[in-house]
Amino acid sequence: YTPTPNTVWISTLGLDRVAEPTSNNNYPSLTSVGFPSILEQGGVDRMPGIIMENSAFTPLYSQCCVDTKFAHTLLNYSSAFTWTVGQQTLQFGFGQWQFWNNFFQPSYPTGYFAFSRFQTSETPYSTNGGTQGNDSADVLLGWGDYGGIQILPEVGDKSKETDFYVQDDWRPTSKLTLNFGLRYQWFTPYKERHNLSQFSDFNGNSGISVPGFGTLKGTTIFASSSMRRSPIDWGGVEPRLGFAYLVNPKLVIRGGAGIYAGYP
């Protein structure tokens, strides 16, 4: 938008959306492969994984990570106003990026049974059994090592980044252009909608006191409704300075420097 001949106002809006729901209903049922139907009462509606602890044996059936579902949304918008006055071009602007990420990937959605060689070794479960025993023999005997169902809930994260800036391009001569700028930005760390995340507070009181050192700082914080993310770094100030010099129509010399005055 050009309100006047020497002003320009540019605004942008962007949206990026990706969703990948995954479903596959071609898994064998429990009873079709010989498992008792009573297992279905516990929520196991298809064949569980049959895995071997010894890497030399291939799993009889693996369903690890097959129910992956994810979706992410990236929303960004910005606005910049440019004003040319004489030998100067001033620009003011801001922008923000918001990111949502949802992810779900259960390791073994309907459980698993693990078999090792130790059950059929000379002395079962003995660490002195060496390399005796056989994983496949344990499967034939129905003597498993361990198993279960891993419950991994869906994760829903959100983060955003915000910035404001001002810039002045000044042309004191026909060959020299000076650039002055100042940007202020901050990043809002991820927070998880179900409070399932944890993060570090490096200045928090650990509750541990060491003689000669005092109380040690640094602790892990588990998210709650009152504290769902790590602290925001509000010190993102970036002054900038640059120049461009036209030696001749084919040669332009440029230089510049910027300083980030944020937290270490």
Side-chain angles (χ1 to χ4, degrees), residues 24 42 47 67 82 90 106-107 167 177 189 198 217 226 243 251:
N24 190 332
M47 182 177 177
D67 284 3
T82 304
L90 301 172
S107 298
Q167 181 172 313
T177 301
Q198 66 184 59
K217 291 185 177 181
S226 59
F243 73 91
L251 177 61

Side-chain angles (χ1 to χ4, degrees), residues 172-186:
T173 70
S174 60
K175 292 188 175 183
L176 178 63
T177 301
L178 300 177
N179 311 113
F180 306 93
L182 180 65
R183 176 186 295 269
Y184 178 61
Q185 63 183 14
W186 66 91

Side-chain angles (χ1 to χ4, degrees), residues 18-237:
V18 176
E20 185 65 31
T22 302
S23 61
N24 190 332
N25 298 319
N26 298 321
Y27 301 109
S29 64
L30 286 173
T31 55
S32 67
V33 293
F35 283 95
S37 59
I38 192 173
L39 293 179
E40 297 178 345
Q41 299 179 10
V44 180
D45 57 356
R46 68 188 192 216
M47 182 177 177
I50 308 296
I51 61 177
M52 310 296 190
E53 292 186 37
N54 189 343
S55 59
F57 291 84
T58 302
L60 294 183
Y61 186 76
S62 178
Q63 52 162 307
C64 176
C65 314
V66 295
D67 284 3
T68 301
K69 300 178 182 181
F70 78 91
H72 79 242
T73 303
L74 176 61
L75 176 65
N76 63 85
Y77 42 87
S78 64
S79 186
F81 184 78
T82 304
W83 180 28
T84 301
V85 183
Q87 301 300 318
Q88 289 182 286
T89 300
L90 301 172
Q91 187 177 88
F92 310 86
F94 83 96
Q96 187 174 79
W97 295 259
Q98 298 190 34
F99 182 67
W100 291 268
N101 181 49
N102 298 289
F103 188 77
F104 178 60
Q105 187 182 63
S107 298
Y108 289 91
T110 55
Y112 66 96
F113 293 95
F115 295 85
S116 70
R117 64 177 182 267
F118 299 111
Q119 284 72 21
T120 50
S121 64
E122 184 176 358
T123 305
Y125 292 107
S126 173
T127 57
N128 296 323
T131 58
Q132 298 175 357
N134 186 286
D135 296 40
S136 297
D138 294 347
V139 174
L140 295 175
L141 292 176
W143 194 351
D145 190 13
Y146 62 89
I149 299 178
Q150 296 178 346
I151 305 299
L152 300 177
E154 178 184 354
V155 176
D157 294 323
K158 178 186 178 181
S159 67
K160 62 182 178 181
E161 183 177 345
T162 310
D163 72 82
F164 293 86
Y165 67 91
V166 57
Q167 181 172 313
D168 181 11
D169 296 334
W170 177 39
R171 292 175 296 278
T173 70
S174 60
K175 292 188 175 183
L176 178 63
T177 301
L178 300 177
N179 311 113
F180 306 93
L182 180 65
R183 176 186 295 269
Y184 178 61
Q185 63 183 14
W186 66 91
F187 174 74
T188 304
Y190 276 109
K191 61 180 180 180
E192 205 279 323
R193 70 175 66 176
H194 304 297
N195 299 329
L196 299 176
S197 60
Q198 66 184 59
F199 46 88
S200 299
D201 181 3
F202 298 104
N203 293 317
N205 187 347
S206 67
I208 302 175
S209 181
V210 178
F213 291 93
T215 301
L216 301 181
K217 291 185 177 181
T219 184
T220 297
I221 299 177
F222 294 92
S224 64
S225 58
S226 59
M227 180 66 73
R228 301 180 63 188
R229 54 167 170 72
S230 58
I232 298 176
D233 178 1
W234 296 105
V237 180

